[in-house]
Amino acid sequence: MVTKTVHLVRHGSHVLPPGVLAGRLSGVRLSDAGREQAYRAAERLAKAGPVDAVQCSPLERTCETAIIIAERLGLVPVQVDALVEISFGGWTGSSFEELEEREDWRRWNHFRSGTRPPGGETMAEVQARALRHMETLADGSATVLVSHCDVIRALLTHWLGMPTDLLLRLEIAPASISTVEIGPWGPRILRINEEA
């Protein structure tokens, strides 16, 4: 049977202070610790078997992570818009402390399936664009996709048969690797949030 393997990698830690919602802010690069995390993830992926392609969200922190991984694997990363961070709209760049005062933020974190960030995307929209991209990956291939926490959670909740309202139950640490094998029988989760 022909299968495809997808390694979902969250970008490494970035330079913004803890407690700030980076979202799609430009100029958010990896910190020194984030680069170290990416190098460790690259080593783990190099030992996991052959990889045919590395793709990433177009944001700086994912591109930097993907470059480190791709260089270790002898590949060149390709930017894919479908892997970009969820659009948090008007919340982008806010501190979590500020956001905790907002009813719409609290509702978002308890009812992802029925809440939209102000001017942003719903989880269903994020999940749909990411899943559409999965269909473009070649059968028989192994691909590393470097993306963002909620995009990875959206894919995993779909494959696990979980409602998106429960996605905060999944921890996706910086530079962690989650792997799924997709075949004619459907998806099979091999690992979630494995840190190098």
Side-chain angles (χ1 to χ4, degrees):
M1 287 196 226
V2 179
T3 64
K4 55 188 167 191
T5 302
V6 181
H7 302 287
L8 302 167
V9 180
R10 184 181 176 189
H11 60 80
S13 298
H14 56 66
V15 295
L16 286 183
V20 174
L21 182 63
R24 293 185 182 178
L25 282 176
S26 63
V28 180
R29 305 185 71 83
L30 291 182
S31 64
D32 290 342
R35 280 188 289 281
E36 279 302 312
Q37 292 164 342
Y39 282 115
R40 288 196 302 272
E43 286 303 317
R44 183 170 287 278
L45 287 163
K47 295 173 185 171
V51 171
D52 302 294
V54 176
Q55 300 177 354
C56 62
S57 152
L59 297 179
E60 289 95 332
R61 58 195 185 270
T62 44
C63 289
E64 286 182 273
T65 304
I67 287 167
I68 291 168
I69 291 169
E71 284 179 352
R72 176 63 181 87
L73 300 175
L75 299 167
V76 176
V78 175
Q79 294 181 26
V80 175
D81 289 340
L83 301 175
V84 74
E85 174 68 292
I86 182 170
S87 172
F88 288 106
W91 296 336
T92 302
S94 300
S95 72
F96 292 119
E97 187 176 350
E98 293 169 323
L99 290 169
E100 286 300 331
E101 302 298 317
R102 297 182 58 133
E103 170 58 30
D104 55 355
W105 172 257
R106 291 193 299 273
R107 187 170 57 251
W108 161 258
N109 284 302
H110 293 286
F111 186 37
R112 292 280 181 108
S113 64
T115 308
R116 177 187 297 277
E121 289 180 289
T122 66
M123 283 308 304
E125 290 166 339
V126 174
Q127 192 175 65
R129 68 171 156 84
L131 286 168
R132 277 193 303 272
H133 183 64
M134 295 303 111
E135 294 174 4
T136 71
L137 303 179
D139 288 338
S141 67
T143 307
V144 172
L145 302 179
V146 184
S147 190
H148 306 268
C149 185
D150 277 351
V151 179
I152 293 170
R153 284 172 168 164
L155 287 167
L156 290 172
T157 55
H158 173 77
W159 290 325
L160 290 166
M162 289 173 60
T164 55
D165 293 337
L166 302 181
L167 108 174
L168 293 180
R169 293 182 180 183
L170 297 175
E171 177 64 27
I172 304 296
S176 65
I177 302 167
S178 300
T179 302
V180 62
E181 185 179 77
I182 303 171
W185 59 84
R188 188 165 61 118
I189 307 292
L190 304 181
R191 59 182 159 189
I192 296 177
N193 192 45
E194 186 173 279
E195 296 183 67

